[in-house]
Amino acid sequence: MSVLSFNRWDYLATKVLVGGAVLVTAATAVIAPLIQWLRDEPLHWDLTVAHDAPVPRGVEAQAGVTLSGTDGLRVTLPQADAGPWIASLLPGALLAVAVAVVGWLLLRLLRATEAGQPFTRQTVRSLRVIAITVFVATLAITFAEAVADSVIAGAALLDSVSTVGLTFSIPLVPLAFCVLLTALAEAFARGAVLQDDVEGLV
Amino acid sequence: MPVEEPHRVVCHLDRILAERGLTVTALAERIGVTNVNLSVLKNQRAKAIRFSTLTALCGVLECQPGDLFSVEEL
């Protein structure tokens, strides 16, 4: 048996991994912050600032080397209102939903492959929906994070507009992954046509 | 007739098996095809047959392809 083959233990391990990823995402992105809110714990948030932050005290450069701070601020709101908490929870909630949808579709795809029937219309649909989910979730989460930055900065800073600005950069890697998945779905669609042709071949 | 239209090929495997006194299982073992596939062929559910399978069938049943298959008139 080749070390690269995928036997039933690999299928089982993959299913456990996918299920685990869904649960861990929900726990860390939604449930843990929600519990912090219910316990009245401080709200922590990393803000992206519109200009360089100062270099941390005690950090000195060698001769000829220049230093500048990173463009981030760690904000801690001791008694945040509902607005900042909800804004901070939204990106995590969107991520948890997206991971759950993708996880469920991946499990469906795995079951079809394990049953020896990977090239079906349902598999093609699953791949396309995963691509769409990743695309929509990427945009939605990026926007939700920008909104959360704005809301929390407004609650935390005296001059949030000039300090934080409105930063909105769309990550390219997930979008490239969408394109790859869409191409894969088209390959599987061709496979489904070939599968139909072979159906009933003796 | 365009290829897209449904086929009218009829398989006479059940009659030939009865004439030869062979079961589907015995034939499947002799030609190296699964019972399931032979049943698909026997029950008119097959859509295509490999030449290698056809050769093996004709060899074991001592017949020609025309004895196994015919095309129904419209």
Side-chain angles (χ1 to χ4, degrees), chain A residues 195-202, chain B residues 37 40 46-50 53:
Chain A
Q195 177 76 37
D196 278 345
D197 285 346
V198 171
E199 194 71 36
L201 172 66
V202 177
Chain B
N37 274 349
V40 162
K47 288 185 197 171
I49 184 167
R50 290 188 179 88
T53 307

Side-chain angles (χ1 to χ4, degrees), chain A residues 28-29 32-37 40-48 73-81 84-92 145 148-149 151-153 155-156:
Chain A
T28 55
L34 203 57
I35 291 172
Q36 286 172 348
W37 182 11
D40 257 339
E41 290 178 16
L43 166 61
H44 301 285
W45 188 259
D46 291 323
L47 276 177
T48 304
L73 277 177
R74 179 85 168 163
V75 168
T76 300
L77 287 166
Q79 282 168 335
D81 292 334
W85 271 115
I86 290 169
S88 73
L89 281 168
L90 192 57
E145 282 176 344
D149 277 353
V151 170
I152 292 170

Side-chain angles (χ1 to χ4, degrees), chain A:
Chain A
M1 187 174 66
S2 163
V3 71
L4 294 176
S5 68
F6 218 69
N7 61 24
R8 65 187 187 101
W9 295 112
D10 296 313
Y11 277 111
L12 182 63
T14 307
K15 286 175 191 172
V16 167
L17 207 66
V18 170
V22 172
L23 291 174
V24 165
T25 305
T28 55
V30 180
I31 295 171
L34 203 57
I35 291 172
Q36 286 172 348
W37 182 11
L38 293 172
R39 285 181 176 172
D40 257 339
E41 290 178 16
L43 166 61
H44 301 285
W45 188 259
D46 291 323
L47 276 177
T48 304
V49 296
H51 49 77
D52 289 344
V55 177
R57 213 175 282 173
V59 176
E60 292 179 15
Q62 299 272 7
V65 174
T66 54
L67 295 179
S68 59
T70 59
D71 58 354
L73 277 177
R74 179 85 168 163
V75 168
T76 300
L77 287 166
Q79 282 168 335
D81 292 334
W85 271 115
I86 290 169
S88 73
L89 281 168
L90 192 57
L94 289 170
L95 178 66
V97 167
V99 169
V101 168
V102 170
W104 176 66
L105 289 167
L106 269 176
L107 287 175
R108 203 162 75 165
L109 210 147
L110 266 176
R111 272 196 297 271
T113 307
E114 198 176 7
Q117 299 285 333
F119 299 110
T120 61
R121 306 267 174 242
Q122 188 184 64
T123 305
V124 175
R125 262 197 307 275
S126 296
L127 284 167
R128 286 178 178 152
V129 174
I130 290 173
I132 291 168
T133 303
V134 170
F135 180 76
V136 170
T138 300
L139 297 180
I141 291 168
T142 304
F143 182 70
E145 282 176 344
V147 168
D149 277 353
S150 179
V151 170
I152 292 170
L157 305 174
L158 289 175
D159 180 11
S160 62
V161 173
S162 65
T163 306
V164 175
L166 186 66
T167 56
F168 193 85
S169 65
I170 297 173
L172 292 179
V173 170
L175 296 183
F177 186 59
C178 284
V179 172
L180 181 66
L181 273 175
T182 308
L184 195 63
E186 290 314 301
F188 270 71
R190 180 68 186 131
V193 168
L194 291 172
Q195 177 76 37
D196 278 345
D197 285 346
V198 171
E199 194 71 36
L201 172 66
V202 177

